[in-house]
Amino acid sequence: MPDVDRRLFQGDRTLAEFIDAHRLLWGSFDPHYFSSIPYRLEEEARLGDAMFRYGMAIVRADRPANFYVLGSAEGTFARTLAQAGQGCFRTLSCSPNKENEDSFYSHGAPAFADFFLGPFHHLTNELIRTSDRLRHFREGSDIILEDTTFQMYSPNRSDQIQFVKGHLKDEGIMIFIEKFRHDDEKEYSRRELQKDYGYKSRFFTTSEIERKNFEILKRMNENENTITEMAEAVAHHFHHAYITWNSGNFYTVAASNSAQNLSRYISSMVPPASPTSMYIQGRLNRSLIRTFRICNFVATERSCMTFSAWISFALLTALQTASPGPAVSLLISTGLRSGISGTLALLPGIFVGDLTLITVAFAMTTALLSVSAAIFDGIRIAGGSYLLFLGIKTIVGVRASSTTNDDPAKSSKTFHQGFFTTVLNPKGILYFATFLPQFISPEGSYNVQFTILGATFLGVGLITDTFYAVTSSYGSRYLTPLVRRGLIVIAGTSLLLTGAYVLLKYAVSLRVPFA
């Protein structure tokens, strides 16, 4: 009997809870299926957790989120999701086997899950429109999950996708779990041997493995696509697609015409729960790259960043760095209090702080933050506390403010203020760890592109910070002492409130599940 390797969950409680609830609903086919694909059971928990989070984010009081699952045999996955949603989701499972329907209802008729007996191409929009039992799905599904179903019928992915997409909302997400042929037959065979005798042999005898390969997998293999062929089929129907998981020759692909919804879904996913030995990565051909973006970026020799992507990033960076934040508040308060020498002493600290964050983000991207929430919690507490300290210090020290410049001997202290204000800002940490990679093309070198984006941010940030430093410093000459002190208090209050908000948000997240 297969069981999850809970070490791969990195202590994630919600994944463990999902798989425990899932296990209680298993039918007769589930043990066989999860014994056949390495770490597919762990991926089941990862998918369920991500769909749960996504569903809770989009659900409305007057309309639950709809999930349609093709090929999940007994509908265990869909039933588990519906049960976890407690009325926030409606799920629909589809299978042509009567045994699967019997197994689906063996645990009783679920309140928020339905089952359609028949092949997926028999479930037409007309049938859904006229069936009272399926009335909840007349407006379409928010997510459709195809689990190794298409390859049981034919290799014509484009037509299959077109048919099923008719049940998807315009900005919905379609997820494909499929086994793909490889351009290199030797590599395909190597992965199959690894699957059969490195994993399946734990649950099946050699003769059982060989019999299954002949009776079932032969038909599946005939209907398999290559990843390139799948990319071309997906490109006919969706603008955006990502590969989110693979184990041997099995891959998960998520596609949508809404970049925002797809980004929201993928950002809710924890890292793949698969050992490196099973998670195949390597160079991918260009026809695939043009269609798919890979969550775990694959480097090639060239940067391949488009000019439009760089311009978009530069403009968004200008808006982000110009918007009021801890560093801007510190620059303004220092300029009003100490003049140009004080603010110019801050700039190197802010610059080095940004450079430090970019370097850390480059080393870990989003993986470390996802895997070790404790690290980010520590950063949030330290950052919020430091902003509180700076805010109080700025407000308390307003009486000592003057229009004269600070003593040059204090420049190192000012440097440290700029550095720690930047480094300990949780917003900055999240920005570099999650925002920069969105502008990176998988067709090019991850290292080169991240360096270009990092340098762009540093350059734009230095320009906007210098603008604030100069305008606040020289502008203070035309202000009365009372107005100048009032502006310093406002800037200090901004720092204080930002720190309080960070700490309060962390305290609330400790009490609210999934916060």
Side-chain angles (χ1 to χ4, degrees):
M1 183 76 72
D3 196 8
V4 297
D5 187 344
R6 294 176 186 263
R7 296 171 299 176
L8 297 173
F9 288 168
Q10 301 291 335
D12 193 307
R13 178 175 56 84
T14 58
L15 289 178
E17 289 178 352
F18 182 89
I19 210 64
D20 287 340
H22 183 272
R23 185 63 172 264
L24 293 175
L25 297 175
W26 273 18
S28 59
F29 180 77
D30 290 311
H32 179 87
Y33 178 60
F34 294 117
S35 297
S36 301
I37 306 174
Y39 301 97
R40 177 63 184 84
L41 182 54
E42 286 78 3
E43 175 65 358
E44 187 91 340
R46 180 171 174 254
L47 283 170
D49 179 59
M51 289 175 65
F52 176 87
R53 293 175 185 273
Y54 179 82
M56 295 302 290
I58 66 171
V59 67
R60 299 200 312 255
D62 60 335
R63 183 188 63 80
N66 286 345
F67 300 138
Y68 171 32
V69 183
L70 296 76
S72 62
E74 297 136 321
T76 305
F77 180 80
R79 280 203 61 158
T80 306
L81 265 180
Q83 178 177 291
Q86 297 181 348
C88 293
F89 314 145
R90 298 287 313 196
T91 66
L92 174 62
S93 300
C94 173
S95 173
N97 298 323
K98 185 64 171 65
E99 296 83 356
N100 288 336
E101 183 188 43
D102 293 339
S103 181
F104 179 85
Y105 290 111
S106 64
H107 298 277
F112 307 107
D114 296 292
F115 190 96
F116 173 74
L117 178 61
F120 74 90
H121 52 273
H122 285 184
L123 183 61
T124 63
N125 284 326
E126 177 66 16
L127 180 60
I128 292 177
R129 188 182 65 83
T130 57
S131 172
D132 183 66
R133 185 169 60 89
L134 302 177
R135 65 186 182 280
H136 304 287
F137 295 89
R138 289 171 185 168
E139 295 182 5
S141 294
D142 296 286
I143 292 182
I144 295 178
L145 170 62
E146 181 264 325
D147 187 355
T148 58
T149 299
F150 288 163
Q151 60 198 75
M152 299 301 296
Y153 292 90
S154 84
N156 191 343
R157 290 295 177 274
S158 184
D159 286 353
Q160 291 169 327
I161 293 172
Q162 182 177 4
F163 179 87
V164 175
K165 187 186 174 188
H167 303 306
L168 188 67
K169 293 180 180 178
D170 291 341
E171 296 189 344
I173 299 170
M174 193 162 181
I175 303 170
F176 310 88
I177 304 175
E178 294 202 20
K179 182 182 179 183
F180 294 107
R181 284 188 290 109
H182 200 283
D183 293 328
D184 183 349
E185 289 298 327
K186 290 183 179 179
E187 176 62 20
Y188 179 90
S189 298
R190 185 188 72 80
R191 298 184 187 189
E192 286 298 282
L193 289 172
Q194 183 185 34
K195 169 177 66 72
D196 289 345
Y197 300 103
Y199 180 76
K200 290 174 66 174
S201 58
R202 306 175 192 175
F203 312 104
F204 302 100
T205 65
T206 301
S207 60
E208 287 174 331
I209 293 174
E210 292 176 350
R211 185 174 67 254
K212 180 182 177 182
N213 288 344
F214 178 78
E215 295 177 352
I216 301 175
L217 298 185
K218 184 177 185 296
R219 178 176 57 173
M220 290 180 63
N221 294 347
E222 291 173 350
N223 294 326
E224 289 172 7
N225 281 198
T226 64
I227 301 179
T228 304
E229 292 168 339
M230 184 66 174
E232 293 172 351
V234 169
H236 287 306
H237 306 283
F238 297 102
H239 298 311
H240 313 281
Y242 289 75
I243 294 175
T244 60
W245 173 82
N246 89 277
S247 177
N249 290 314
F250 288 87
Y251 291 75
T252 302
V253 175
S256 178
N257 285 322
S258 169
Q260 180 180 359
N261 285 349
L262 190 57
S263 176
R264 173 186 285 177
Y265 167 73
I266 290 181
S267 65
S268 68
M269 302 189 82
V270 300
S274 301
T276 304
S277 61
M278 298 304 301
Y279 196 75
I280 307 296
Q281 298 185 77
R283 299 183 185 276
L284 303 175
N285 59 69
R286 291 186 182 181
S287 61
L288 168 65
I289 298 287
R290 290 195 188 102
T291 305
F292 286 170
R293 295 188 65 192
I294 312 302
C295 287
N296 294 299
F297 294 100
V298 181
T300 59
E301 291 82 359
R302 302 177 293 113
S303 70
C304 293
M305 177 179 292
T306 64
F307 181 73
S308 60
W310 179 79
I311 285 293
S312 299
F313 174 80
L315 291 175
L316 289 172
T317 295
L319 291 174
Q320 194 274 336
T321 55
S323 63
V328 170
S329 298
L330 183 62
L331 280 168
I332 294 174
S333 63
T334 303
L336 293 171
R337 184 179 63 249
S338 306
I340 190 66
S341 65
T343 51
L344 291 181
L346 279 173
L347 292 180
I350 295 173
F351 182 88
V352 174
D354 284 334
L355 180 61
T356 300
L357 290 179
I358 291 171
T359 303
V360 172
F362 173 76
M364 70 183 184
T365 61
T366 58
L368 185 57
L369 294 181
S370 298
V371 171
S372 183
I375 293 178
F376 184 55
D377 287 343
I379 293 172
R380 282 200 289 180
I381 295 171
S385 301
Y386 187 69
L387 293 177
L388 276 176
F389 166 75
L390 275 184
I392 294 172
K393 182 180 178 184
T394 299
I395 296 171
V396 171
V398 69
R399 293 181 177 276
S401 66
S402 68
T403 57
T404 59
N405 293 347
D406 274 354
D407 190 328
K410 296 181 180 179
S411 61
S412 65
K413 183 178 180 181
T414 310
F415 172 90
H416 292 151
Q417 281 188 337
F419 175 79
F420 286 115
T421 299
T422 303
V423 167
L424 295 177
N425 178 14
K427 178 183 176 182
I429 294 168
L430 282 176
Y431 177 87
F432 290 118
T434 62
F435 187 63
L436 266 68
Q438 305 308 315
F439 291 85
I440 292 177
S441 167
E443 191 174 355
S445 169
Y446 181 71
N447 297 359
V448 173
Q449 292 177 91
F450 205 106
T451 301
I452 292 172
L453 295 177
T456 300
F457 182 92
L458 291 174
V460 173
L462 185 60
I463 292 172
T464 56
D465 289 344
T466 302
F467 171 80
Y468 276 114
V470 173
T471 54
S472 63
S473 299
Y474 287 106
S476 67
R477 296 181 178 181
Y478 304 100
L479 302 175
T480 65
L482 180 62
V483 172
R484 186 165 56 251
R485 286 196 294 268
L487 291 174
I488 292 174
V489 170
I490 292 174
T493 303
S494 174
L495 290 169
L496 191 151
L497 292 177
T498 302
Y501 172 76
V502 170
L503 295 177
L504 180 62
K505 187 176 180 181
Y506 170 70
V508 171
S509 70
L510 294 178
R511 302 181 62 182
V512 181
F514 308 121

